[in-house]
Amino acid sequence: MSSAAVRDELRIGDVARAVGTTTRTIRYYEEIGLLPHGEGRERGAHRFYTRSDVERLREVMRLKDALGVSLEELKTLVEAEDARAALRAEWQAHPDADRRRPILEEALAHLDAQLALLRTRRKALELRELG
Amino acid sequence: MSSAAVRDELRIGDVARAVGTTTRTIRYYEEIGLLPHGEGRERGAHRFYTRSDVERLREVMRLKDALGVSLEELKTLVEAEDARAALRAEWQAHPDADRRRPILEEALAHLDAQLALLRTRRKALELRELG
DNA sequence: TTGCTCCTCACGTCACGTGAGGTGGC
DNA sequence: TTGCTCCTCACGTCACGTGAGGTGGC
């Protein structure tokens, strides 16, 4: 067993095979900012991934297929999702109502943005359905 | 009511709206030979369509979405389908077994080609599913 | 006549595919 | 050392989108 496998560090080819796509697609998603850039990787060095990276990519691709959304829209959707997760953590860390209120408001703003995008998308899908 | 409507001659915009696509897409499909070129249309003249053209386009788009196949593959699939329909008509016109045999053999060849493509396609879909 | 839809180039775009040429870890 | 997978350009491709500039039918 390789040391990479021991450290649960998958290589790009492993990830591609695991989610049923190509290495090019994964690099492209990283390039446009849909996947994280792998902080601190030296130029030319190999990319490494964890199992949770695989889960995340799988989820991203599932969303893409289900919604038929562009990668740019998908990106804003995923970013809003991440922002909400961060706010949720912050919320947990602050039991006092005064500090919770602004956190809640920001989270709701993200939700609104997501819902707006999804509503637009649903309308488009309904139009095709009726067509 | 327009004279075109009276003659059941739809214009490209009507067709696009009816099937939920754009005029550009319809022209593109014609360009690559996925839709017929409208025999005898003068250069620069308007394209006209019938309701059966709309049905055909709708079916083509349904197949494309369902199979997730490239337009080139879709084209061969549709062409084989048309060839089989023509052979079916020929079969009906010839009740004698001697003339029917070669017709049947040709039709089966088309079917084989279609099935081969669909099997390849299914394997690809299964791989994604397992991924 | 005014609008609208249509026409044909032709270049742009999105989401990757596909080599070329080279480096790095089992 | 040999293979395999990885890396970065960078150009190609597929399926259209998007003007530009012009013509044609209610």
Side-chain angles (χ1 to χ4, degrees):
Chain A
M1 192 181 259
S2 72
S3 65
V6 165
R7 281 179 283 147
D8 187 35
E9 284 183 338
L10 305 166
R11 292 192 295 172
I12 196 168
D14 303 324
V15 177
R17 237 166 289 120
V19 306
T21 185
T22 67
T23 60
R24 173 64 171 122
T25 295
I26 296 176
R27 288 196 199 95
Y28 180 64
Y29 285 6
E30 181 188 316
E31 190 183 326
I32 64 171
L34 184 53
L35 296 180
H37 277 67
E39 284 294 309
R41 185 175 67 94
E42 290 155 55
R43 181 184 161 70
H46 286 198
R47 290 169 178 80
F48 285 106
Y49 302 86
T50 66
R51 285 181 199 174
S52 80
D53 290 332
V54 171
E55 274 321 299
R56 186 189 172 102
L57 176 54
R58 219 195 286 274
E59 180 64 16
V60 163
M61 297 185 71
R62 207 188 56 76
L63 263 179
K64 176 187 189 264
D65 279 15
L67 300 177
V69 84
S70 78
L71 293 184
E72 199 54 40
E73 288 171 309
L74 193 55
K75 192 176 150 189
T76 58
L77 222 46
V78 168
E79 277 167 358
E81 197 58 25
D82 290 349
R84 288 208 302 124
L87 288 170
R88 211 149 35 222
E90 223 185 318
W91 168 276
Q92 299 291 349
H94 297 294
D96 43 309
D98 281 7
R99 305 205 44 186
R100 279 189 163 183
R101 157 156 288 185
I103 297 174
L104 185 60
E105 275 167 10
E106 207 184 327
L108 286 175
H110 283 296
L111 242 184
D112 281 347
Q114 289 179 297
L115 286 175
L117 198 158
L118 291 180
R119 272 195 210 97
T120 307
R121 187 60 208 147
R122 190 175 67 181
K123 268 196 185 173
L125 287 175
E126 278 168 359
L127 278 178
R128 289 216 57 177
E129 208 60 34
L130 290 173
Chain B
M1 190 181 259
S2 71
S3 64
V6 165
R7 281 179 285 147
D8 187 35
E9 284 182 338
L10 306 165
R11 293 192 295 173
I12 195 167
D14 304 324
V15 176
R17 237 167 289 120
V19 307
T21 186
T22 67
T23 60
R24 173 64 171 123
T25 295
I26 296 176
R27 287 196 200 95
Y28 180 64
Y29 285 6
E30 180 187 316
E31 189 182 326
I32 64 171
L34 183 54
L35 296 180
H37 277 66
E39 284 294 308
R41 186 174 67 91
E42 290 154 57
R43 179 183 163 71
H46 287 197
R47 289 169 179 79
F48 284 107
Y49 302 86
T50 66
R51 284 180 199 175
S52 81
D53 290 332
V54 171
E55 274 322 300
R56 187 191 171 103
L57 176 54
R58 217 195 287 273
E59 180 65 16
V60 163
M61 298 185 70
R62 207 187 57 75
L63 262 179
K64 175 186 188 265
D65 278 16
L67 299 176
V69 85
S70 78
L71 295 183
E72 199 54 40
E73 289 172 309
L74 193 57
K75 191 176 151 188
T76 57
L77 222 47
V78 167
E79 277 168 357
E81 198 57 26
D82 290 349
R84 288 209 302 122
L87 288 171
R88 212 152 33 225
E90 225 186 316
W91 168 276
Q92 299 290 351
H94 298 296
D96 43 310
D98 282 6
R99 306 207 41 188
R100 279 188 163 183
R101 157 155 286 185
I103 297 174
L104 184 60
E105 276 166 10
E106 208 184 326
L108 285 175
H110 283 297
L111 242 183
D112 280 348
Q114 288 179 295
L115 287 175
L117 199 159
L118 290 180
R119 274 197 209 96
T120 308
R121 187 58 208 149
R122 189 175 67 181
K123 267 196 183 170
L125 287 174
E126 277 168 1
L127 278 177
R128 291 215 57 179
E129 207 60 33
L130 290 173

